[in-house]
Amino acid sequence: MKVMADVKCHLRELETQVAGLNPPSNPVNLGNTGLLSLDPSPDKLPLYYQLLDCYTWMEKVHCYSTIMHSLFSGNNLKRSSISLPYSAKRRRPASLNHNVPQQQVDMLIQGVNQMFQDMTLNISRPFGNNAVVQVTLGRVLRAVVTFKGILIEWVVVRAYNEPLLDEDGKVDLYTPSQYKVFQKVTDNANAAMLNFCSPGFSDLSIRSFFTWLHSFVSLFTDVCKRCSNHLHNHMPPTWREFRTLDPVHEECKA
């Protein structure tokens, strides 16, 4: 009780002293704290108007998407709104590039084999109907070209002194070359295979690929068309342009 009486006494003294103070004649400088009571102007903070535009835009998108959904659902999977009988529809013929007679592939490979005197192609079928072609290009390189029907599926290029058969006497389809040069040529050969692939003109695509592969007969003697040097980073030009067959270093083709 004594403590509460002391607090009450001190409060009375404080009120008496505050009441006896004179008000200041000059206004007190509040600094930046005086701006706290001011409302921000809408032109400096256009957040409300931006949100309003956003909501309006979302409403329009929702409305348009609803209309488009109703239109597409009424004409599902049809290229035309005209209904035709089933017999009048023209069906695209099925692709038969993966299922062709062996004689057709053999004749195509024999025709390519007669195009070049310094490149020999030996065809075999160790895994059924699909052909595997062993390519020998001069005394420069050897390659294994795997077919799927009449389309090329995989290419592996090795040095001339590297075998194409494994320890069991079967054609080795996947083991890469131990030389970095022919590893680069393998990567580029698969890129060329994809570039020349044309299911509608399979004969032309096969001839174009083997013509491109034949350009590596001068792999170690060609000069880069960009830098005019034989070697770049101790590597010959391992890239050939698809149209002109010009030799180019990997670093120079970019």
Side-chain angles (χ1 to χ4, degrees):
M1 295 297 294
K2 183 178 180 181
V3 175
M4 295 299 297
D6 294 339
V7 171
K8 186 176 181 180
C9 180
H10 290 309
L11 286 176
R12 288 179 179 177
E13 293 179 358
L14 178 62
E15 292 177 354
T16 303
Q17 293 178 1
V18 170
L21 294 176
N22 297 323
S25 58
N26 297 325
V28 180
N29 186 12
L30 299 178
N32 294 331
T33 57
L35 303 176
L36 294 176
S37 61
L38 300 179
D39 294 332
S41 58
D43 56 343
K44 294 183 179 180
L45 294 176
L47 181 61
Y48 171 76
Y49 300 102
Q50 292 177 358
L51 290 176
L52 185 61
D53 294 339
C54 181
Y55 287 134
T56 304
W57 183 81
M58 289 296 296
E59 288 293 332
K60 290 183 179 180
V61 170
H62 180 71
C63 180
Y64 293 155
S65 61
T66 303
I67 297 174
M68 294 301 296
H69 179 267
S70 61
L71 293 176
F72 285 130
S73 61
N75 193 22
N76 189 21
L77 298 179
K78 293 182 180 179
R79 296 184 179 182
S80 175
S81 59
I82 303 176
S83 299
L84 297 176
Y86 180 80
S87 59
K89 294 182 179 179
R90 300 181 61 183
R91 295 292 181 181
R92 183 178 299 176
S95 177
L96 302 177
N97 292 309
H98 294 303
N99 187 16
V100 296
Q102 297 182 4
Q103 294 78 8
Q104 182 179 352
V105 180
D106 293 344
M107 292 179 59
L108 179 59
I109 298 301
Q110 291 176 4
V112 175
N113 199 10
Q114 296 175 359
M115 293 171 56
F116 309 102
Q117 300 295 329
D118 50 359
M119 185 172 68
T120 58
L121 282 69
N122 297 321
I123 187 171
S124 61
R125 288 181 171 84
F127 306 107
N129 188 38
N130 295 321
V132 176
V133 178
Q134 303 178 37
V135 183
T136 302
L137 181 58
R139 299 180 63 87
V140 179
L141 59 83
R142 293 180 178 179
V144 177
V145 181
T146 306
F147 280 77
K148 180 69 173 180
I150 202 170
L151 298 178
I152 300 177
E153 190 176 50
W154 182 250
V155 182
V156 174
V157 180
R158 302 188 182 99
Y160 181 78
N161 60 345
E162 291 182 300
L164 297 180
L165 306 179
D166 56 12
E167 297 177 354
D168 298 331
K170 299 180 180 179
V171 181
D172 191 354
L173 303 180
Y174 302 106
T175 302
S177 174
Q178 61 179 338
Y179 302 104
K180 187 175 180 180
V181 173
F182 295 102
Q183 293 176 8
K184 285 290 186 180
V185 176
T186 298
D187 296 339
N188 296 334
N190 284 280
M193 174 263 294
L194 296 175
N195 176 78
F196 293 119
C197 181
S198 179
F201 303 93
S202 55
D203 296 354
L204 178 61
S205 65
I206 298 300
R207 293 190 182 94
S208 300
F209 171 78
F210 281 104
T211 301
W212 180 89
L213 184 63
H214 178 265
S215 64
F216 285 92
V217 69
S218 55
L219 172 63
F220 297 103
T221 58
D222 281 336
V223 178
C224 178
K225 291 295 183 180
R226 303 289 176 83
C227 65
S228 300
N229 294 325
H230 287 281
L231 299 178
H232 189 279
N233 293 333
H234 308 287
M235 294 281 288
T238 56
W239 175 260
R240 297 295 184 273
E241 297 292 342
F242 294 139
R243 293 186 178 182
T244 61
L245 302 180
D246 291 336
V248 181
H249 289 117
E250 293 288 336
E251 295 80 2
C252 298
K253 69 179 182 179

